[in-house]
Amino acid sequence: RKEVEQDPGPFNVPEGATVAFNCTYSNSASQSFFWYRQDCRKEPKLLMSVYSSGNEDGRFTAQLNRASQYISLLIRDSKLSDSATYLCVVNSYSSASKIIFGSGTRLSIRP
Amino acid sequence: GAGVSQSPSNKVTEKGKDVELRCDPISGHTALYWYRQSLGQGLEFLIYFQGNSAPDKSGLPSDRFSAERTGGSVSTLTIQRTQQEDSAVYLCASSWTGTSSYNEQFFGPGTRLTVL
């Protein structure tokens, strides 16, 4: 089993829709969590951190469920520009190799 | 300000040849990471530098891979006797500090390596 798993998608949704996807992690010692966004043939960029109490940044909401060991990302009122691959990142602080990037979930927003 | 830069952007080489990939991190960033990303896959951790030292080399796939960092700045990833399975995008990232607390990693544009 991979340490960090994501549904690869693609999620294909119409503009304006709400879409959510999860990322599960296996290491219960994991301490910090993030979502990165990667556009096609581009480098990943930080989208948002994920806090224990959940957090929002505009149309984006991130949540953490430690009991079930998953994080989620919800995008409301999706835009064409949201089309990208979303990578979850899990860090247990024990070593650099424990900063684990998921394989990503592809999201495609159609007009 | 200037972001992370990598060179070359593309490299095509023949099987068995050695290649050198270069990363210039953001000025002042002490932590530097190398990752490999194959088509449609996630990022595979290769090596981490804190300053000039590499406390974590656990991700290097074989002894054909090596990396160094000089002056706490530029890093070079060397792949000897390249194989076709080495073909991937090699991404470099830097951050202010290391892994004691997570700092946002800023990625370079990557070097796309193709081994024929």
Side-chain angles (χ1 to χ4, degrees):
Chain A
R1 185 189 170 192
K2 289 183 182 177
E3 290 195 60
V4 175
E5 292 202 67
Q6 295 184 249
D7 182 340
F11 285 62
N12 190 328
V13 302
E15 200 172 3
T18 295
V19 61
F21 27 85
N22 290 343
C23 166
T24 58
Y25 61 94
S26 61
N27 184 357
S28 59
S30 299
Q31 295 171 291
S32 56
F33 310 87
F34 308 86
W35 285 103
Y36 274 68
R37 171 194 169 127
Q38 186 173 24
D39 293 298
C40 189
R41 292 182 173 260
K42 298 284 190 181
E43 69 274 22
K45 292 183 180 177
L46 181 66
L47 177 67
M48 61 195 301
S49 303
V50 185
Y51 302 128
S52 297
S53 54
N55 49 299
E56 219 175 271
D57 183 0
R59 298 180 294 107
F60 297 82
T61 300
Q63 292 198 308
L64 166 64
N65 185 318
R66 284 193 186 272
S68 300
Q69 293 185 200
Y70 73 86
I71 63 172
S72 64
L73 179 67
L74 181 134
I75 306 174
R76 289 183 301 278
D77 187 25
S78 53
K79 313 289 184 191
L80 296 176
S81 57
D82 295 333
S83 297
T85 296
Y86 291 84
L87 307 169
C88 73
V89 181
V90 175
N91 178 25
S92 66
Y93 290 153
S94 58
S95 68
S97 60
K98 291 304 179 186
I99 300 173
I100 308 291
F101 281 76
S103 300
T105 296
R106 266 184 55 207
L107 175 65
S108 179
I109 307 298
R110 63 180 188 271
Chain B
V4 178
S5 61
Q6 292 185 247
S7 60
S9 55
N10 277 286
K11 177 70 177 180
V12 180
T13 190
E14 293 179 350
K15 178 181 170 181
K17 295 282 179 70
D18 298 352
V19 295
E20 269 191 7
L21 312 180
R22 177 187 166 108
C23 172
D24 272 285
I26 292 172
S27 178
H29 281 191
T30 61
L32 186 147
Y33 308 79
W34 282 99
Y35 296 91
R36 178 168 72 173
Q37 188 173 33
S38 300
L39 189 63
Q41 301 298 309
L43 274 66
E44 176 189 0
F45 168 81
L46 297 178
I47 188 170
Y48 155 67
F49 286 93
Q50 180 61 41
N52 289 337
S53 64
D56 194 337
K57 305 179 183 179
S58 61
L60 294 177
S62 76
D63 59 8
R64 296 186 295 105
F65 288 71
S66 63
E68 63 176 18
R69 188 180 185 195
T70 55
S73 181
V74 171
S75 176
T76 304
L77 177 69
T78 301
I79 309 173
Q80 296 178 308
R81 305 181 303 282
T82 52
Q83 304 294 312
Q84 288 182 329
E85 61 263 28
D86 299 335
S87 297
V89 176
Y90 288 80
L91 289 161
C92 172
S94 70
S95 65
W96 283 109
T97 62
T99 57
S100 58
S101 63
Y102 188 81
N103 286 268
E104 177 181 356
Q105 292 187 32
F106 294 84
F107 284 83
T111 293
R112 185 172 299 276
L113 175 65
T114 303
V115 182
L116 302 177

